[in-house]
Amino acid sequence: MNSELFNPLSLARGPKLSNRLLLAPLTSEQSHADGVLSEADMRWIENCSRNGYSMIMTGAANVQENGKTFKGQPGIYHDRHLPGLQRMADIIRSHGRVSSVQLHHGGMRAGIAGFTPDGQIVGPSDNDTYGARALTLSEVEQLRDDFILAALRAEKAGFDGAEVHGAFGWILSQFLSPELNRREDCYGGDTENRARLIFEIIDGIRSACKPGFQIGLRLSFERYGMRFEDILYVSERAIREGNIDYLDLAPWDVKKMMGDGQYAEKSALELFTSIPRGAVKIGASGKIMSAKDAESVMSAGLDFVMIGRAAVLQNDFPEQVRKNSGYVTPPLPVTSGYLKEQGLSENFIDYMRKWDGFVAD
């Protein structure tokens, strides 16, 4: 297939990507209860590594114990997680792929699955809906430091980089939201203060890790009290300051058009591609289910495409696209037997059953 999707991509730091199709961070709920990676984790990552994705990213790995949000979530908050992480990084490297760990904390939403120790559900402010209490200033500073320590663990394990998860209503987007963040200290108030934690984490990782360590930032701009203007501010500033290597946009749908207001009738992606990006690369995920969908992201002016749901439905999505410009993933729902053929474990399949209309049985 003659497509820009299969051109190499150089980032400002670290190894070059062999193409523009990257594996999105996927929740699979198959790690051990203590956050140690399982054999099922290794098999899934090996399958993806051999099937054409240029970068392989882990699912969201919690940086503090009380940030755990999913059953079977991988951890990166303790040195006991290092052996498994090292093995996973070795697997990815053995297939010639670039590797990244997604760094995560559920914040007040960590309580949705009941995994926070001693009921300590925390967020930027008290929240009765989630039963969360506000972090103290020293705890916010510790959270910042633990994101940075997690990146150092990823580096020690042999990963090429880490992605800071600032999307989907988890703790960093909670800090960014004026609805959820009602703090009156330096981490609350105006946009600059609400974004302070994100930038302290990025800057801290850049200072602590080796010069070639790649840093990504994932942002979404829907639901959970988010304001589009704040996401644009963070994006523009992160790109301008240049301490990230790539911006990973996560709309629910890459075709999203803006509604009312100053951005009405513009595509969401257009508003980000118009930002002068310097050396920072921009990519997106969001209902990319075919070769045509992936091509549309590139045509919109982005640099790479994150493949999530389509990777679950067709483990070798990049190879299918390479061979067939008209490729479309199988229609939903699919059977559990089909997903097992794609390399999903029983726990992973059980998780996919939580998605409406995904699994037929």
Side-chain angles (χ1 to χ4, degrees):
M1 179 179 180
N2 183 17
S3 169
E4 191 179 352
L5 287 169
F6 296 98
N7 290 341
L9 178 64
S10 295
L11 302 181
R13 304 167 184 88
K16 179 187 295 187
L17 307 186
S18 60
N19 62 56
R20 309 301 180 95
L21 294 169
L22 287 62
L23 182 70
L26 292 166
T27 298
S28 60
E29 295 196 345
Q30 58 190 9
S31 298
H32 296 297
D34 61 358
V36 171
L37 295 171
S38 69
E39 289 301 317
D41 286 317
M42 301 302 172
R43 286 193 298 270
W44 170 251
I45 289 298
E46 180 143 34
N47 284 341
C48 294
S49 298
R50 69 161 64 99
N51 279 328
Y53 304 94
S54 61
M55 178 187 284
I56 304 293
M57 192 176 297
T58 71
N62 51 307
V63 303
Q64 289 183 334
E65 188 176 8
N66 69 347
K68 181 177 179 178
T69 308
F70 307 103
K71 181 179 71 174
Q73 181 172 3
I76 194 167
Y77 58 87
H78 193 278
D79 285 349
R80 69 169 174 270
H81 301 128
L82 275 171
L85 291 165
Q86 289 167 338
R87 183 180 167 197
M88 182 171 283
D90 288 344
I91 288 171
I92 297 170
R93 188 181 309 106
S94 72
H95 291 281
R97 310 305 179 190
V98 179
S99 58
S100 181
V101 178
Q102 188 182 60
L103 307 180
H104 170 266
H105 189 295
M108 63 180 65
R109 295 184 62 220
I112 60 177
F115 296 115
T116 53
D118 301 322
Q120 290 297 309
I121 302 171
V122 298
S125 302
D126 294 335
N127 188 289
D128 292 339
T129 300
Y130 291 102
R133 66 166 179 82
L135 290 162
T136 66
L137 179 58
S138 63
E139 286 174 329
V140 175
E141 292 167 344
Q142 186 63 56
L143 175 64
R144 173 200 63 203
D145 293 347
D146 286 341
F147 265 94
I148 297 166
L149 286 170
L152 283 166
R153 282 194 185 92
E155 180 183 67
K156 185 175 181 180
F159 282 85
D160 297 305
E163 179 177 85
V164 176
H165 198 344
F168 300 157
W170 307 126
I171 202 161
L172 298 184
S173 55
Q174 291 164 24
F175 268 86
L176 193 57
S177 165
E179 291 183 21
L180 300 176
N181 181 352
R182 300 181 304 279
R183 301 180 71 91
E184 296 180 354
D185 59 14
C186 64
Y187 292 100
D190 61 17
T191 303
E192 181 179 359
N193 278 357
R194 286 183 279 109
R196 184 181 303 278
L197 181 58
I198 292 174
F199 286 99
E200 288 185 349
I201 289 168
I202 291 170
D203 296 348
I205 294 172
R206 179 57 62 215
S207 296
C209 293
K210 62 188 178 184
F213 192 74
Q214 295 171 340
I215 302 174
L217 173 63
R218 181 167 246 207
L219 295 173
S220 62
F221 37 86
E222 297 145 310
R223 302 169 62 187
Y224 306 114
M226 302 310 301
R227 291 196 322 172
F228 192 79
E229 295 81 358
D230 293 334
I231 299 301
L232 274 181
Y233 165 83
V234 172
S235 301
E236 291 170 346
R237 179 177 164 187
I239 290 170
R240 182 177 68 251
E241 293 182 357
N243 278 336
I244 63 169
D245 297 284
Y246 58 92
L247 179 66
D248 173 9
L249 300 173
W252 293 110
D253 188 333
V254 291
K255 302 179 184 70
K256 177 182 173 64
M257 300 297 293
M258 302 304 294
D260 298 333
Q262 62 177 310
Y263 306 119
E265 300 184 7
K266 291 186 177 182
S267 77
L269 294 188
E270 174 189 351
L271 295 168
F272 291 95
T273 57
S274 64
I275 300 172
R277 69 189 71 171
V280 176
K281 307 303 181 185
I282 304 178
S285 60
K287 295 187 178 179
I288 298 165
M289 307 301 289
S290 67
K292 182 179 178 181
D293 291 340
E295 288 280 8
S296 72
V297 174
M298 301 301 296
S299 298
L302 275 71
D303 300 297
F304 62 88
V305 187
M306 301 294 288
I307 304 300
R309 188 177 304 195
V312 174
L313 288 171
Q314 188 67 50
N315 194 259
D316 63 346
F317 180 85
E319 293 307 312
Q320 297 295 329
V321 171
R322 188 190 298 273
K323 292 185 292 187
N324 178 8
S325 61
Y327 176 74
V328 179
T329 53
L332 294 172
V334 294
T335 66
S336 58
Y338 174 81
L339 291 175
K340 192 170 183 179
E341 291 173 359
Q342 294 303 311
L344 275 69
S345 68
E346 292 296 336
N347 286 344
F348 200 163
I349 294 169
D350 283 344
Y351 175 70
M352 299 313 301
R353 287 192 173 98
K354 299 176 184 177
W355 293 27
D356 290 342
F358 202 94
V359 183
D361 52 10

